[in-house]
Amino acid sequence: PATEAKMKRVEPGAPERSYLYLKLMGTQAAAGGSGARMPIQQDPLSEKELDLFKRWISEGAAQN
């Protein structure tokens, strides 16, 4: 599990239960997480970039 929240960093098939995705969206606090939206000290990701992460997780988060 992630150290900031009691959930996996990436839950294959479930972006809504993936701490990485919640941090990218800036909604980690609602899931018991903390800290700032990722990427830190940069502009938030675009909708297109967020959609790519969401699709990657939804499709199983392949490691290749």
Side-chain angles (χ1 to χ4, degrees):
T3 57
E4 296 86 2
K6 296 183 186 286
M7 61 187 347
K8 290 184 177 181
R9 284 186 180 96
V10 175
E11 178 73 39
E16 70 283 353
R17 292 192 315 264
S18 298
Y19 195 60
L20 170 64
Y21 184 69
L22 297 180
K23 288 283 283 188
L24 293 171
M25 294 289 294
T27 59
Q28 70 279 1
S34 62
R37 174 197 299 253
M38 288 178 52
I40 297 173
Q41 297 181 343
Q42 295 180 29
D43 290 337
L45 297 182
S46 69
E47 286 297 317
K48 184 177 180 178
E49 292 167 320
L50 289 170
D51 285 344
L52 286 173
F53 273 99
K54 185 175 184 178
R55 186 169 18 136
W56 172 68
I57 296 170
S58 294
E59 291 175 357
Q63 297 289 318
N64 54 11

